[in-house]
Amino acid sequence: MTDLNRIAEGYITAWNESDADRRAALLKAIFTEDVSYRDPLMQGDGHAGVAALIDGVQQRFAGFRFSLKGTPDGFADKIRFSWNLGPEGIPSVIEGTDIGIIENGRLKSVTGFLDKVPAQ
């Protein structure tokens, strides 16, 4: 049985990790080698592609942190979880929901949806 909480928490931890070596280890633990990530604003493939996305988000939103919103759920090889992004201690600025496909206990693909974004 797949531990959905472990997968979602590992995902959030990877997006918050600023040290490249520690993040690389997290990516190997939580994502398959051929992972694909897609959301309305960006996409990346493989560990290097996801690492580049994380770098970009961390540069654009310096000082912001991801956190889980609610409890992950799923069935068969699917996982769904929501997240918050913003400075610690204040309400989130950005919120989203991600849907993943799990293969052998790791994420093979992630499709992200943005539920709340600041006005441009």
Side-chain angles (χ1 to χ4, degrees):
M1 184 170 168
T2 302
D3 184 344
L4 300 177
N5 288 315
R6 179 194 61 80
I7 291 171
E9 288 169 4
Y11 178 91
I12 295 297
T13 300
W15 279 86
N16 284 330
E17 182 55 61
S18 59
D19 179 88
D21 291 334
R22 287 194 301 260
R23 184 184 320 124
L26 289 166
L27 293 177
K28 284 183 181 184
I30 206 72
F31 296 107
T32 62
E33 293 291 327
D34 60 345
V35 63
S36 69
Y37 177 93
R38 304 288 184 270
D39 75 23
L41 302 176
M42 57 189 185
Q43 63 184 37
D45 295 303
H47 293 168
V50 174
L53 297 178
I54 293 171
D55 281 336
V57 169
Q58 288 183 358
Q59 289 174 20
R60 182 166 182 198
F61 299 102
F64 283 31
R65 304 282 294 169
F66 284 91
S67 62
L68 280 176
K69 179 180 178 183
T71 303
D73 68 347
F75 62 94
D77 64 346
K78 314 288 187 294
I79 183 172
R80 175 180 65 177
F81 56 93
S82 296
W83 48 265
N84 301 302
L85 177 63
E88 287 190 68
I90 68 166
S92 58
V93 176
I94 301 169
E95 297 177 3
T97 299
D98 290 354
I99 309 294
I101 305 294
I102 301 167
E103 180 178 273
N104 297 320
R106 296 188 298 164
L107 288 165
K108 181 171 181 63
S109 72
V110 176
T111 303
F113 296 86
L114 300 173
D115 302 328
K116 174 184 168 184
V117 294
Q120 296 283 328

